[in-house]
């Protein structure tokens, strides 16, 4: 299960600990490892971390694509409007 609250926490930790170039590089490398390992849940997790790191909300088309993974993503209560 992927909790969006966790992705936001990881994104804020990356903001606090690393300069932007280093943080995005770490996200990219971890995302790439998950992709090549066939770990779709980790790919979605790190993609959401990256989205939150870069500014938060996702566009409508990405939200629509994430609906395919809705059974694996636990959204924050504030997101369930």
């Amino acid at each position: 299960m992927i909790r969006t609250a966790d992705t936001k926490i990881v994104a804020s930790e990356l903001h606090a600990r690393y300069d932007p170039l280093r943080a995005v590089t770490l996200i990219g490398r971890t995302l790439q490892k998950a992709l090549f390992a066939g770990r779709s849940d980790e790919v979605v997790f790190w993609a959401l971390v990256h989205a939150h790191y870069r500014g938060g909300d996702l566009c409508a088309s990405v939200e629509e694509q994430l609906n395919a993974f809705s059974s694996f993503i636990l959204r924050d209560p504030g997101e369930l409007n």
Side-chain angles (χ1 to χ4, degrees):
M1 274 311 201
I2 299 168
R3 292 178 3 154
T4 55
D6 292 340
T7 62
K8 291 176 183 178
I9 290 168
V10 172
S12 68
E13 284 293 318
L14 288 168
H15 267 295
R17 293 181 183 202
Y18 300 103
D19 65 279
L21 182 61
R22 179 73 176 141
V24 172
T25 301
L26 287 171
I27 293 169
R29 286 182 182 168
T30 308
L31 184 62
Q32 186 178 25
K33 287 179 184 178
L35 181 64
F36 286 111
R39 301 288 313 238
S40 59
D41 56 335
E42 288 183 31
V43 171
V44 172
F45 177 84
W46 287 103
L48 289 170
V49 168
H50 184 261
H52 293 300
Y53 180 84
R54 297 303 259 174
D57 294 332
L58 304 172
C59 67
S61 63
V62 173
E63 286 286 356
E64 190 175 304
Q65 292 172 0
L66 280 177
N67 286 335
F69 298 96
S70 62
S71 59
F72 302 108
I73 299 173
L74 293 174
R75 300 210 181 245
D76 292 339
E79 293 178 314
L80 299 173
N81 292 331

